[in-house]
Amino acid sequence: MSRSAKAYIAGIYEHPTRKAVDKTVPMLHAEVARGALADAGLTKDDVDGFFCDGSVPGLGGMVLAEYMGLNLKYTDCTETGGSSYIIHVGHAMEAIAAGKCNVALITLAGRPRAEGLQALGARARGEDSPERGFEVPYGPMVTNLYAMAAMRHMHEYGTTSEQLAWVKVAASHHAQHNEHAMLRDVVTVEDVVNSPMISDPLHRLDCCVISDGGGALVVVSPEIAKTLGDRCVKVLGQGAGVKHLNGGRFDLTYTGAAISGAIAFDEAGLTPADMDYASIYDSFTITVLETLEDLGFCEKGQGGAFVSDGNLISGVGKLPFNTDGGGLCNNHPANRGSMTKVIEAVRQLRGEAHPKVQVPDCQLALAHGTGGQISQRTGAATLIMGVNDA
Amino acid sequence: MYIDPTITMESEAYWQAANEGKLLVKRCGDCGQVHFFPRAICPECFSSNTEWQEASGKGRIYSYSVTRRAEVPYAIAYVTLEEGVTMLSNIVEADLNALAVDMPVEVVFGKTRNGQALPLFRPVEAST
Ligand SMILES: [Zn+2]
């Protein structure tokens, strides 16, 4: 009797070293990757999914992806200690069955003998991440990194501070109705551009709040959802993407949303024009502007015009966004914003947003998250949802 | 004072060259591509046949930002080198209010707390 398989293991490689005094951990990852891909008869360019544990150098799998020059649309760094890699295989199989990636690369590397115990501390602090020496001495901060994306976008497309300010203005219009929001005062374009300059061209009011808090989601099977009723919303499409500095050849005017959005829309069989509502991660105003372009809500470079004149305000514009006030006004728990993005989108689809910001007959909604720094290495994820009978 | 870079066996030659007033990039002996930050293994073709190459030290500002909230405001920037790769740095010896995207710059070397030379960039005088 033959069973159909959802995925197969195509290549294996065991590194011959037993004491790697002459190699860094990133080199070891690249060497085992090269070996397993050769064993499978594949090349580096075939890889679109990367799986590793949480102890690798750098932030998640992104620095290693950059180091090895991988172009990814799927990544998973589930950390379960020694059993991680078996879990990664399971995740890879599911991801492949769902069409999220075609070739999943799983690597494990370390050099505890060569390094001794001292190095473990450095690893935990991220000090061995291969890009660090070339970045940290120059004082990169979240603010100045996002500011450089904004500066370049302004240079290439004529985007103005006033246009960026409209993103904050729209968020503030929504936050006034949210009793839990940190900033509930409605602000004007003038208020934003006259607030103190933090890092040119971003002003204080271009930046999100810093807050405690958190959130949770429960995702269930269609069978279970049937038993739960109409308040369940459908996941219609999902996409991920990693963008990095690509060996020194990069463009700061777009984000990973250019990858994740296209995949999610394709899976859902929908377009940006179909969306009744969008939650867009808003660490800074520029994050929203570039993301909207990358998701296809407008042409690249037209984000400034798109967000202007209240176009993101519920009941006023064409694309109501972040009706809870978002990270710019409401909250930004643990500096991670996409949990609350999904929650507000679900509220909209259930018709449970605040009546002042509820989108009438909201059938289809999008939530987008941006991780890392858009001017360095960034992970993007887009989720498209619909009402229960969508 | 600049924070010292983390130096690994992959980047040691880069930092030694900086101490001699040279800015290095890595070039792949197989595919010919220059990359930055420098790695032992080419991110374009996965070859281990990578070599150091001295950069001209000239480039243009790809983007920048003046961090106003720092104790001493400073200009972080991405500088695109003549060799075609873009690297993170700081712009120094400049009027921080007169910086611009595409401004021609050239490498100069600053010193970290421990005396390591660090590649920085300054505007190229239009008259020279
Ligand atoms: Zn190469």
Side-chain angles (χ1 to χ4, degrees):
Chain A
M1 149 179 186
S2 84
R3 289 186 172 83
S4 62
K6 286 197 277 186
Y8 298 82
I9 294 174
I12 56 165
Y13 183 76
E14 180 183 342
H15 203 289
T17 187
R18 298 291 179 266
K19 192 169 184 183
V21 291
D22 58 345
K23 295 176 192 303
T24 63
V25 172
M27 287 170 73
L28 292 173
H29 276 276
E31 289 180 357
V32 296
R34 190 165 57 190
L37 287 165
D39 181 55
L42 295 169
T43 74
K44 179 174 74 69
D45 294 335
D46 295 310
V47 176
D48 58 1
F50 179 56
F51 298 68
C52 63
D53 65 37
S55 73
V56 298
L59 180 61
M62 288 188 281
V63 170
L64 281 178
E66 180 181 3
Y67 179 92
M68 295 194 281
L70 301 175
N71 294 306
L72 303 179
K73 58 183 184 185
Y74 198 92
T75 187
D76 180 343
C77 69
T78 305
E79 170 64 85
T80 64
S83 67
S84 299
Y85 320 103
I86 297 171
I87 295 204
H88 295 160
V89 174
H91 286 184
M93 179 182 68
E94 292 156 12
I96 289 165
K100 304 294 185 189
C101 62
N102 292 305
V103 177
L105 171 66
I106 305 169
T107 66
L108 163 65
R111 50 200 292 273
R113 286 185 76 196
E115 291 174 346
L117 283 173
Q118 251 185 337
L120 291 176
R123 167 123 341 119
R125 294 190 298 274
E127 285 168 16
D128 62 343
S129 195
E131 86 295 357
R132 251 181 100 85
F134 302 95
E135 296 180 357
V136 172
Y138 301 113
M141 299 169 65
V142 179
T143 46
N144 61 31
L145 289 168
Y146 278 77
M148 283 197 286
M151 187 71 81
R152 186 69 196 186
H153 201 280
M154 288 177 163
H155 173 78
E156 290 199 20
Y157 300 112
T159 306
T160 66
S161 289
E162 286 74 15
Q163 290 174 329
L164 285 174
W166 271 108
V167 176
K168 170 72 174 188
V169 171
S172 77
H173 273 263
H174 300 146
Q176 66 176 317
H177 305 296
N178 181 353
E179 61 177 324
H180 303 295
M182 286 178 70
L183 305 176
R184 295 187 67 188
D185 291 340
V186 172
V187 301
T188 65
V189 168
E190 288 68 35
D191 291 335
V192 179
V193 299
N194 291 328
S195 65
M197 188 65 86
I198 300 295
S199 197
D200 315 37
L202 297 179
H203 304 82
R204 183 187 298 281
L205 296 188
D206 285 299
C207 307
C208 66
V209 300
I210 296 172
S211 75
D212 294 347
L217 304 169
V218 177
V219 183
V220 301
S221 69
E223 290 75 20
I224 295 170
K226 263 183 212 163
T227 70
L228 297 178
D230 288 343
R231 294 175 77 250
C232 294
V233 305
K234 282 183 178 167
V235 175
L236 301 173
Q238 193 271 342
V242 171
K243 178 180 180 250
H244 49 62
L245 297 179
N246 190 35
R249 290 174 176 80
F250 55 87
D251 177 349
L252 297 187
T253 67
Y254 76 96
T255 72
I259 308 166
S260 67
I263 296 166
F265 279 118
D266 186 58
E267 184 172 64
L270 295 166
T271 70
D274 297 317
M275 296 298 107
D276 298 310
Y277 166 83
S279 283
I280 306 290
Y281 196 0
D282 52 348
S283 47
F284 297 90
T285 52
I286 184 62
T287 318
V288 175
L289 193 145
E290 286 198 5
T291 301
L292 289 170
E293 294 175 344
D294 296 336
L295 292 175
F297 285 101
C298 61
E299 294 289 309
K300 178 52 67 182
Q302 296 300 305
F306 184 82
V307 302
S308 291
D309 305 321
N311 200 35
L312 301 179
I313 301 175
S314 185
V316 175
K318 284 191 190 134
L319 184 67
F321 102 123
N322 298 6
T323 40
D324 60 342
L328 289 167
C329 295
N330 179 20
N331 64 347
H332 194 215
N335 300 322
R336 295 168 187 268
S338 58
M339 169 61 76
T340 49
K341 297 294 167 291
V342 177
I343 290 171
E344 182 67 4
V346 172
R347 285 191 199 112
Q348 281 287 351
L349 290 168
R350 291 173 169 177
E352 294 178 0
H354 191 283
K356 297 280 192 188
V357 297
Q358 175 67 49
V359 176
D361 193 29
C362 187
Q363 297 281 315
L364 297 165
L366 173 148
H368 182 82
T370 300
Q373 319 295 345
I374 59 172
S375 291
Q376 292 178 321
R377 45 209 69 84
T378 174
T382 308
L383 184 63
I384 295 170
M385 294 154 280
V387 293
N388 193 279
D389 56 358
Chain B
M1 285 294 262
Y2 295 97
I3 297 170
D4 273 78
T6 311
I7 300 177
T8 73
M9 67 182 82
E10 272 182 287
S11 63
E12 211 174 356
Y14 176 92
W15 295 109
Q16 270 175 10
N19 286 338
E20 295 160 16
K22 293 174 186 169
L23 174 64
L24 299 187
V25 294
K26 264 289 181 87
R27 181 187 185 83
C28 177
D30 285 350
C31 75
Q33 183 95 301
V34 173
H35 71 264
F36 199 91
F37 58 93
R39 296 152 225 197
I41 294 168
C42 172
E44 181 67 19
C45 77
F46 247 12
S47 166
S48 292
N49 184 21
T50 55
E51 301 153 357
W52 293 104
Q53 177 186 318
E54 187 175 353
S56 73
K58 298 207 184 304
R60 287 177 181 273
I61 295 177
Y62 172 79
S63 193
Y64 72 97
S65 179
V66 180
T67 302
R68 305 279 173 184
R69 307 296 291 174
E71 215 168 292
V72 180
Y74 62 97
I76 196 165
Y78 276 119
V79 172
T80 303
L81 304 178
E82 284 185 338
E83 289 73 20
V85 289
T86 301
M87 64 180 282
L88 193 68
S89 191
N90 288 163
I91 308 298
V92 296
E93 301 176 32
D95 175 357
L96 295 188
N97 295 314
L99 300 179
V101 172
D102 278 345
M103 180 181 268
V105 292
E106 64 189 4
V107 72
V108 289
F109 290 88
K111 282 273 195 291
T112 66
R113 287 173 190 157
N114 291 332
Q116 168 66 48
L118 182 71
L120 306 167
F121 290 83
R122 69 178 174 204
V124 177
E125 295 298 330
S127 54
T128 58

